Amino acid sequence: MARYDGPKCRVCRREGGKLFLKGDRCYTDKCAYERRPYVPGQHGRGRGKMSDYAVMLREKQKVRRMYGVLEHQFRLYFQEADRQKGVTGHNLLALLEQRLDNVVFRMGFANSRDQARQLVRHGIFTLNNRRVNIPSMQVKPGDVLLVREESRKVPVIQEAQQVIARRGCPEWLEVDGENFKGTVKASPRREDIQHPINEQLIVELYSK
C-alpha cells in the first residue's frame, strides 16, 4: 500500500514533533509524543547528530506526513509553488492549507485530516452548492463549504464541532457551527500556520 497505515503516534515521534494525526488525543496528556519524545526503536534515545541533508529530509517528511500527501503529490505542490509569484516556501504551505480535506479539518468538521479525507470521499460536503468528494481539491477565497443536511447527525461531525472551540479556527476561515457552514474569507498567510515548520529547508532540499 502507498499510504502508511501503522501507528500514527510513532510517526510523530519519528519526525520529532506533534503532527496532530490523532485529532483531539494530541491535545491531551495521552499523547504518546508527550510521554516519549524521542525517535522510536531500540536505539531511539541514543541517535547521534544528523547531517544537513538528513535535517532537510526530515523537515520535508514531517510536512508531507502532517498533510497526508504522497511523495509524488508533494513534489507537484512544490513545483506549482515554485512557479507562482512570491516566496516558494510560503506558496507551498498555502497550497497545502487550501486542500479541501485540510479546510474541513481546520473548520472543525473533523477531528483529524485523515478523518476529514474520509468524510470528503463519502460526499458529506458541498462546495458552493455542489457535492464534492475530492480531498485534494483547492479552495479559494469566497468558497462556501456546507455539511449536507442528511449528514449533519453523523456523530463524528458533532463530536468534532465540540473540539473546534478548544482548537481554534484560523482567521482566514469563518465557521457558522449552528448551520454547519464554513466560508473561506481569504488565502492563508504564513503567520496563519502555527505549526513549527521551517519551509526553507524543504526549498533547499528540492533545489539540490
Side-chain angles (χ1 to χ4, degrees):
M1 293 179 64
R3 291 193 183 276
Y4 174 79
D5 59 357
K8 291 182 173 59
C9 292
R10 188 180 180 89
V11 175
C12 295
R13 293 175 58 207
R14 179 64 188 90
E15 302 306 337
K18 287 189 178 186
L19 306 185
F20 301 95
L21 302 178
K22 298 193 74 171
D24 196 35
R25 183 187 178 94
C26 299
Y27 295 86
T28 68
D29 294 336
K30 295 181 180 179
C31 175
Y33 183 76
E34 292 285 355
R35 293 183 281 117
R36 292 174 291 173
Y38 50 85
V39 177
Q42 182 177 0
H43 305 291
R45 290 177 183 266
R47 298 202 177 185
K49 183 180 179 181
M50 292 192 296
S51 66
D52 291 342
Y53 178 81
V55 171
M56 291 186 287
L57 179 63
R58 290 266 61 88
E59 192 67 18
K60 186 265 292 183
Q61 291 292 79
K62 179 178 77 174
V63 176
R64 187 177 69 78
R65 287 171 165 174
M66 180 184 298
Y67 287 96
V69 298
L70 302 177
E71 177 60 38
H72 179 65
Q73 290 175 302
F74 194 84
R75 184 175 288 274
L76 291 178
Y77 279 123
F78 178 82
Q79 292 171 355
E80 175 61 26
D82 196 34
R83 283 194 294 266
Q84 293 179 352
K85 294 181 180 179
V87 182
T88 300
H90 296 179
N91 295 341
L92 174 63
L93 295 182
L95 288 170
L96 293 169
E97 279 288 304
Q98 290 176 116
R99 281 176 56 99
L100 180 58
D101 55 359
N102 179 73
V103 170
V104 168
F105 166 67
R106 293 289 199 194
M107 286 182 172
F109 294 128
N111 279 316
S112 66
R113 291 183 180 89
D114 277 350
Q115 190 180 82
R117 191 174 301 115
Q118 186 178 43
L119 293 175
V120 171
R121 284 188 179 134
H122 280 81
I124 283 178
F125 301 95
T126 64
L127 187 66
N128 301 328
N129 296 319
R130 294 183 62 182
R131 189 175 181 181
V132 289
N133 60 4
I134 303 175
S136 61
M137 180 180 290
Q138 288 280 302
V139 303
K140 58 185 183 298
D143 283 349
V144 177
L145 187 72
L146 196 67
V147 180
R148 298 174 66 212
E149 192 167 350
E150 56 268 35
S151 302
R152 294 180 182 181
K153 293 184 179 179
V154 174
V156 293
I157 291 180
Q158 295 184 342
E159 292 171 8
Q161 287 210 296
Q162 297 173 7
V163 174
I164 192 63
R166 177 167 59 255
R167 194 170 69 205
C169 181
E171 291 185 1
W172 62 283
L173 300 173
E174 184 177 60
V175 179
D176 180 356
E178 290 185 3
N179 295 309
F180 295 87
K181 176 182 176 182
T183 305
V184 182
K185 297 194 300 181
S187 296
R189 300 170 300 173
R190 179 60 185 91
E191 52 266 32
D192 293 325
I193 304 170
Q194 300 298 324
H195 295 305
I197 297 172
N198 187 345
E199 63 276 8
Q200 184 58 33
L201 292 176
I202 303 173
V203 175
E204 291 175 8
L205 175 68
Y206 280 124
S207 298
K208 283 185 172 293

